[in-house]
């Protein structure tokens, strides 16, 4: 009960209520917009970062037992440019470009589809649900896009370093692989790829969701500057690199031209450990770290900006 002799400022209570009022429900991103924005982001990103992917793959395929052809990142770049010119660093780009666009489209489309159903009534997505949605997105992109496209990419790059390359281009290479090995030939290392992509996206979306929730605070619709989005993306990318580089190494070996040496994903891991030691599981970490941080930062920046544009021209509410 309010004391009759107490004066109450009529402006104080409404102001307190306004301060305590929720900022409103967070806007949901339509999966269709996510697919389109993700595809655009993936295409632009891979054109920028492919040289680091090329170097990473070369170093991972350069097994110690051969003996090694390259003495490090700089030597790999030097030998490639000397032998094939700067365009040599883009050999195999077509196969990865054809895969990068649908990969990002599936990733963001599935993530938004799942997260829209996982968010609470205010439109908030907590970090744990972000991790699970990211896991689902990673598994789907691995099965539908990444495994067949990465298998082709690794075979292409490995083939181009052989004395007598047999693939004349992307479609010729795909036809040859299917003709000789069947469709199964494009799904080598599926288990490792699912584990790698699933853990990759689980880690990245967990970190991104956590950082975005921290930054937005109580206002779910607070705008995020593209540079901040990029910084968050780079952090998420770095976390995923340190979390699953061993799986990336195993996946690359399982998809190379010498994949026949391994009976299974587990057999590949055991043989790498026995013949090359623990350090081999982190081969190519430095070039991968640089590529992934840049990759994830670019993808999230472009994705978020394209979604903003689509929200203006494509009304889905």
């Amino acid at each position: 009960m309010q004391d009759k002799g107490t004066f109450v400022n009529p402006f104080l209570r409404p102001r307190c209520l306004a301060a305590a009022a929720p900022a409103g429900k967070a806007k949901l991103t339509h999966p269709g917009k996510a697919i389109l924005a993700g595809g655009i982001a993936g295409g632009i990103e891979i054109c920028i970062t492919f040289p680091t992917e090329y170097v990473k793959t070369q170093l991972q395929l350069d097994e110690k037992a051969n003996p090694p052809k390259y003495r490090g990142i700089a030597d790999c770049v030097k030998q490639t440019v000397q032998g094939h010119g700067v365009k040599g660093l883009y050999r195999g780009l077509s196969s990865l470009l054809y895969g990068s666009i649908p990969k990002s489209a599936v990733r963001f489309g599935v993530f938004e589809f799942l997260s829209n159903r996982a968010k609470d009534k205010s439109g908030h997505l907590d970090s744990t649900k972000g991790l699970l949605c990211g896991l689902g997105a990673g598994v789907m992109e691995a099965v539908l896009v990444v495994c067949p496209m990465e298998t082709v990419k690794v075979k292409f790059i490995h083939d181009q370093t052989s004395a007598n390359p047999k693939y004349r281009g992307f479609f010729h290479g795909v036809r040859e692989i299917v003709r000789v090995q069947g469709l199964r030939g494009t799904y080598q290392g599926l288990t490792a790829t699912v584990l790698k992509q699933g853990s990759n996206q689980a880690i990245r979306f967990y970190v991104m969701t956590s950082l975005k929730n921290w930054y937005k605070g109580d206002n779910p619709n607070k705008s995020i500057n593209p540079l901040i989005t990029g910084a968050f993306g780079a952090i998420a990318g770095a976390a995923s690199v340190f979390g699953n580089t061993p799986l990336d190494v195993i996946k690359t070996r399982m998809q190379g031209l010498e994949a026949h040496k391994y009976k299974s994903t587990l057999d590949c891991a055991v043989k790498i450990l026995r013949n090359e030691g623990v350090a081999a599981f982190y081969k190519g970490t430095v070039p991968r770290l640089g590529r992934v941080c840049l990759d994830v930062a670019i993808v999230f920046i472009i994705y978020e900006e394209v979604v903003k544009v689509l929200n203006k021209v494509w009304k889905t509410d």
Side-chain angles (χ1 to χ4, degrees), residues 6-288:
T6 303
F7 173 77
V8 178
N9 186 334
F11 297 102
L12 181 59
R13 182 174 175 79
R15 187 177 300 167
C16 291
L17 284 173
K25 183 176 180 179
K27 297 178 180 178
L28 303 181
T29 299
H30 189 279
K33 294 179 183 178
I35 291 173
L36 182 56
I40 293 173
I44 295 174
E45 170 273 320
I46 201 61
C47 289
I48 296 173
T49 63
F50 184 77
T52 55
E53 171 69 12
Y54 178 89
V55 172
K56 180 213 72 169
T57 303
Q58 288 283 32
L59 291 177
Q60 289 182 347
L61 292 174
D62 188 32
E63 298 181 28
K64 292 181 178 179
N66 281 356
K69 179 181 178 181
Y70 306 113
R71 296 190 299 274
I73 300 170
D75 185 54
C76 179
V77 173
K78 180 181 178 181
Q79 288 192 43
T80 301
V81 173
Q82 286 179 341
H84 307 282
V86 175
K87 67 179 183 180
L89 294 172
Y90 284 89
R91 296 166 82 182
L93 173 63
S94 60
S95 62
L96 201 58
L97 185 61
Y98 295 145
S100 183
I101 293 174
K103 176 177 71 173
S104 289
V106 170
R107 176 192 310 162
F108 285 102
V110 172
F111 178 79
E112 295 296 354
F113 175 81
L114 295 175
S115 64
N116 285 348
R117 285 155 179 75
K119 290 176 180 177
D120 59 25
K121 293 181 179 179
S122 66
H124 178 267
L125 181 70
D126 64 47
S127 300
T128 301
K129 290 180 180 178
L131 182 148
L132 294 175
C133 292
L135 177 63
V139 171
M140 286 300 292
E141 73 174 8
V143 175
L144 297 179
V145 183
V146 178
C147 189
M149 297 308 297
E150 286 283 293
T151 301
V152 171
K153 180 208 71 174
V154 173
K155 288 181 184 296
F156 264 35
I157 294 178
H158 206 166
D159 176 66
Q160 293 300 312
T161 62
S162 62
N164 299 300
K166 58 185 179 180
Y167 302 142
R168 296 193 300 269
F170 176 76
F171 293 108
H172 175 259
V174 172
R175 284 199 305 271
E176 284 298 299
I177 293 171
V178 173
R179 183 180 67 81
V180 176
Q181 303 175 23
L183 285 176
R184 184 179 179 182
T186 63
Y187 270 91
Q188 290 177 330
L190 177 60
T191 301
T193 303
V194 167
L195 289 173
K196 183 226 172 184
Q197 292 303 123
S199 60
N200 237 350
Q201 301 314 322
I203 293 171
R204 291 177 190 176
F205 280 106
Y206 171 79
V207 173
M208 281 299 294
T209 302
S210 299
L211 292 174
K212 287 169 74 173
N213 286 344
W214 165 76
Y215 182 80
K216 291 183 176 183
D218 295 328
N219 182 3
N221 290 314
K222 181 178 180 180
S223 179
I224 302 180
N225 183 284
L227 293 179
I228 295 177
T229 298
F232 288 172
I235 294 172
S240 67
V241 168
F242 290 113
N244 72 0
T245 288
L247 288 173
D248 187 54
V249 171
I250 294 171
K251 176 190 71 66
T252 300
R253 296 288 182 87
M254 289 292 291
Q255 293 172 335
L257 295 180
E258 297 182 356
H260 61 275
K261 296 187 342 186
Y262 310 113
K263 298 176 182 178
S264 64
T265 299
L266 180 60
D267 180 58
C268 179
V270 171
K271 285 183 177 177
I272 292 174
L273 180 62
R274 181 188 304 144
N275 300 327
E276 303 172 48
V278 176
F281 286 111
Y282 287 90
K283 202 172 185 180
T285 298
V286 175
R288 185 179 181 228

Side-chain angles (χ1 to χ4, degrees), residues 286-299:
V286 175
R288 185 179 181 228
L289 182 64
R291 179 190 66 82
V292 170
C293 288
L294 183 61
D295 168 350
V296 180
I298 291 173
V299 167

